[in-house]
Amino acid sequence: MIAANPKDSRQTLTALAVVAGLVAAAFPIQAEANWVALGWMAEAAVLWWFGVRVRAAALRGLAGLLAGCSVVRLLAFDLPPGVREPFLPVFNEFALPAIGVAACLLVAVAAGRRLARRLNEPEQMLVALAGLGGVVLLWLVLTIDCYGYFRALAAARQVDQAHWRWLGQMSVSILWAVYATVVLASGFRFRLAGLRWTALGLYAITVVKVFLVDMAGLDQIYRIAAFVVLAIFLGIAAWAYQRIRIELSSAAEA
């Protein structure tokens, strides 16, 4: 409990809410625009952890509201417009704070899972959805940064732009496949079915993209080679999926 007296508890929560509001208002005033969303999400993560620790539903609700504002801010205002100047992947004014937003969200979800017994059932469901949202948000940020890098190179060099854009599309497909593999491994590691289903969905999106987008400008021999490589990659993923599932089942029975 926050305080022994219920009246004192309400006063303490009110004071904390006011402080949180003032801190959240300070970020747009003092921070660079691209770092505002990260500041809000970091504050939301701290409020969420504290709200779970002291069993204060009001603080957890405030944290959820602040986290939602952070995601809306990132998606509505911070996405880079059009073609950018050449930049360093990940370590740039968009990707670095955006990845921080997703990381803070996932850390808060992990903290909620560790103390899940202190949450009611609706909150546990919201935590699960927030975790999947964090995974998708990180996937979106990495995708935008990866393709934006090649678009920036194409615009800067003014030579063979179609080739650079195609390289960007292929790089995005490779990124998606690697990311799906990491999500799948995490789903097995932490025994989260939601992550495993998300990984399978990302694999499916990657396959559709490769067939409909990446193969459009290739000659027939390259299409065949690409299909063979993709089939081998998916076959290895399926084999690993079955092997890990059998090992986990055997361990659970033992």
Side-chain angles (χ1 to χ4, degrees), residues 28-237:
I29 298 174
Q30 297 294 333
E32 295 291 336
N34 291 331
W35 294 89
V36 172
L38 176 57
W40 287 353
M41 186 60 77
E43 183 183 359
V46 173
L47 286 176
W48 171 259
W49 177 83
F50 187 64
V52 174
R53 291 285 296 181
V54 301
R55 304 177 187 267
L59 286 181
R60 298 197 297 270
L62 181 61
L65 178 62
L66 196 56
C69 292
S70 173
V71 174
V72 170
R73 163 83 195 196
L74 175 63
L75 298 179
F77 299 101
D78 295 344
L79 293 183
V83 180
R84 292 181 282 174
E85 296 292 329
F87 59 89
L88 184 65
V90 177
F91 299 97
N92 57 78
E93 61 181 7
F94 163 71
L96 196 59
I99 292 173
V101 169
C104 287
L105 178 58
L106 293 174
V107 168
V109 169
R113 285 185 53 81
R114 291 186 61 184
L115 300 173
R117 64 184 183 278
R118 302 189 180 192
L119 305 176
N120 54 43
E121 186 173 349
E123 285 181 323
Q124 293 179 12
M125 294 179 60
L126 289 175
V127 168
L129 291 176
L132 295 180
V135 171
V136 174
L137 180 62
L138 182 57
W139 171 76
L140 177 63
V141 170
L142 293 176
T143 299
I144 293 174
D145 196 58
C146 178
Y147 187 62
Y149 172 73
F150 286 93
R151 287 190 65 189
L153 289 180
R157 300 190 178 189
Q158 298 292 331
V159 177
D160 201 7
Q161 294 187 5
H163 174 71
W164 282 102
R165 286 194 294 268
W166 178 81
L167 283 178
Q169 292 288 357
M170 287 299 297
S171 298
V172 167
S173 299
I174 295 172
L175 171 66
W176 287 2
V178 173
Y179 188 79
T181 303
V182 173
V183 173
L184 181 64
S186 300
F188 279 115
R189 172 64 179 82
F190 300 107
R191 300 187 179 184
L192 296 175
L195 284 182
R196 297 196 294 270
W197 281 108
T198 301
L200 294 178
L202 293 176
Y203 278 127
I205 294 174
T206 304
V207 171
V208 172
K209 179 181 178 298
V210 169
F211 274 78
L212 298 183
V213 178
D214 299 345
M215 300 294 109
L218 293 181
D219 295 332
Q220 185 174 2
I221 184 63
Y222 292 110
R223 291 183 183 181
I224 294 174
F227 291 156
V228 171
V229 172
L230 182 61
I232 293 174
F233 186 87
L234 293 177
I236 293 174

